[in-house]
Amino acid sequence: MSEHEGAPLSFPTEFYDAYIFDMDGTIYLGDELLPGVERMINELRRRNIPVRFLSNNPTKDPHQYVEKLERLGLPTDISDIANTVVTMTKWLKNHHPDAVVFPIAEEPLIKAFKKAGIKISEDPAEIDFVIASYDRTFEYRKLQIAFDAIWFHKRAKLIATNPDRYCPFPGGRGEPDCAAIIAAIEACTQTKCEMVIGKPNPEMLVEAIAGLDVDPKHCIMVGDRLGTDIQMAVRTGMVSAMPLTGDSTWQEALALDKKDQPTFLIDRADRLIPQTTWDDLGWTEDNWK
């Protein structure tokens, strides 16, 4: 039985003004491009259609994503990348430029804060924001600082880079993500995370298409997670497509209210290219590079 047997697949019949892609589970899994991705991206670029890449992963900076995409055969300009390192830094600079922050984070986010002139402190008495993120160096010491800043001093607010429960790996495995850090802090402080800057926050899409002369309603968001990628598109009124190559399943999509479902369900990335173009180019599913 096919992995997607029974899935009500639906494919776009036209090109859009811009394509915004999630990466993990949509463009690649681990260190391999997913089927059809390379020729799909190349065809969009051949037509001079803007392509942007988004990620909720704050453990890499945009330069690292550029390097990875280039290694996988997709040369990409750094201006085509938007992730929570970029979005969180810009949000703080735009809305709280004088805030003192304690990032529970890995080096890329910390480096971005320092470069932007955002003040970082481990002194709970002066912290304005505890920032939870996907942090594989998380330890009790960090939790204690967050606890003291929020619960004891009653000063800091908890915000986060992304709401993801886990980061998907090849072979069906995964790694605990930012939601685990948020939950630990909420549990001991009896407070709630007040804002999540990454997907599904529309700030991510705003950042992604900044500088493009396009109508968001004629752009398409492509991602494998209903609660982040697709929900962000729903919140901005953008067309969406969910490839069945990552986290969410077609059964989960159909269980949602119609308004929260992806516009299209696709089994492979190159199905974003209309069938008429497949026919003109002589594409087949067997030959997808």
Side-chain angles (χ1 to χ4, degrees):
M1 188 178 191
S2 168
E3 180 185 358
H4 307 312
E5 187 81 26
L9 300 176
S10 56
F11 311 131
T13 58
E14 62 177 324
F15 285 98
Y16 290 87
D17 292 344
Y19 288 69
I20 302 96
F21 293 94
D22 169 57
M23 287 187 273
D24 297 318
T26 299
I27 294 295
Y28 54 71
L29 267 180
D31 289 319
E32 290 187 11
L33 286 181
L34 286 160
V37 165
E38 184 174 355
R39 71 178 182 183
M40 178 266 297
I41 295 292
N42 288 341
E43 180 61 21
L44 294 175
R45 288 174 169 169
R46 188 181 72 81
R47 293 170 177 268
N48 295 315
I49 298 174
V51 171
R52 296 291 184 267
F53 300 99
L54 296 187
S55 177
N56 263 359
N57 189 336
T59 67
K60 294 183 176 69
D61 64 31
H63 291 280
Q64 290 171 294
Y65 280 112
V66 167
E67 290 169 3
K68 178 164 187 173
L69 290 171
E70 288 183 347
R71 281 199 313 274
L72 296 178
L74 294 177
T76 300
D77 191 270
I78 196 164
S79 62
D80 294 343
I81 306 288
N83 77 329
T84 47
V85 169
V86 174
T87 312
M88 178 62 82
T89 303
K90 287 189 174 181
W91 184 83
L92 285 169
K93 289 296 290 181
N94 290 338
H95 299 284
H96 301 280
D98 300 319
V100 178
V101 305
F102 173 56
I104 298 177
E106 297 188 18
E107 196 59 27
L109 188 61
I110 294 169
K111 283 176 64 177
F113 286 172
K114 289 179 178 177
K115 185 175 180 180
I118 295 168
K119 186 177 179 183
I120 296 172
S121 176
E122 293 191 350
D123 180 355
E126 64 176 15
I127 295 168
D128 297 308
F129 291 103
V130 171
I131 300 174
S133 76
Y134 178 9
D135 182 9
R136 293 163 295 185
T137 67
F138 186 53
E139 59 184 354
Y140 197 85
R141 182 187 66 85
K142 295 182 179 181
L143 183 59
Q144 184 71 61
I145 294 170
F147 178 81
D148 288 343
I150 296 169
W151 183 84
F152 180 72
H153 289 284
K154 294 180 172 48
R155 172 187 176 90
K157 296 178 180 179
L158 175 62
I159 61 175
T161 54
N162 59 293
D164 301 78
R165 295 176 292 111
Y166 69 94
C167 181
F169 287 172
R173 295 184 62 83
E175 192 169 70
D177 205 323
C178 185
I181 312 297
I182 296 171
I185 298 169
E186 287 183 337
C188 64
T189 61
Q190 294 184 301
T191 190
K192 290 291 182 183
C193 182
E194 297 195 13
M195 177 174 287
V196 178
I197 300 300
K199 298 179 288 186
N201 191 324
E203 290 257 354
M204 287 287 283
L205 274 181
V206 171
E207 178 60 31
I209 62 175
L212 297 178
D213 186 19
V214 295
D215 180 354
K217 292 186 178 179
H218 206 259
C219 300
I220 184 168
M221 174 69 213
V222 186
D224 66 300
R225 291 190 166 189
L226 290 165
T228 54
D229 305 309
I230 304 307
Q231 185 56 222
M232 181 173 61
V234 168
R235 291 183 185 184
T236 55
M238 190 178 286
V239 174
S240 64
M242 190 181 90
L244 302 177
T245 51
D247 182 38
S248 298
T249 66
W250 64 269
Q251 293 94 336
E252 291 169 335
L254 291 187
L256 296 174
D257 288 343
K258 188 69 176 176
K259 64 180 177 58
D260 293 320
Q261 294 178 12
T263 313
F264 303 104
L265 279 174
I266 58 177
D267 55 346
R268 45 192 290 148
D270 48 7
R271 281 299 182 188
L272 291 166
I273 304 299
Q275 183 63 50
T276 53
T277 303
W278 272 58
D279 296 339
D280 291 343
L281 295 172
W283 285 3
T284 68
E285 290 193 353
D286 295 328
N287 179 20
W288 47 262
K289 286 254 183 169

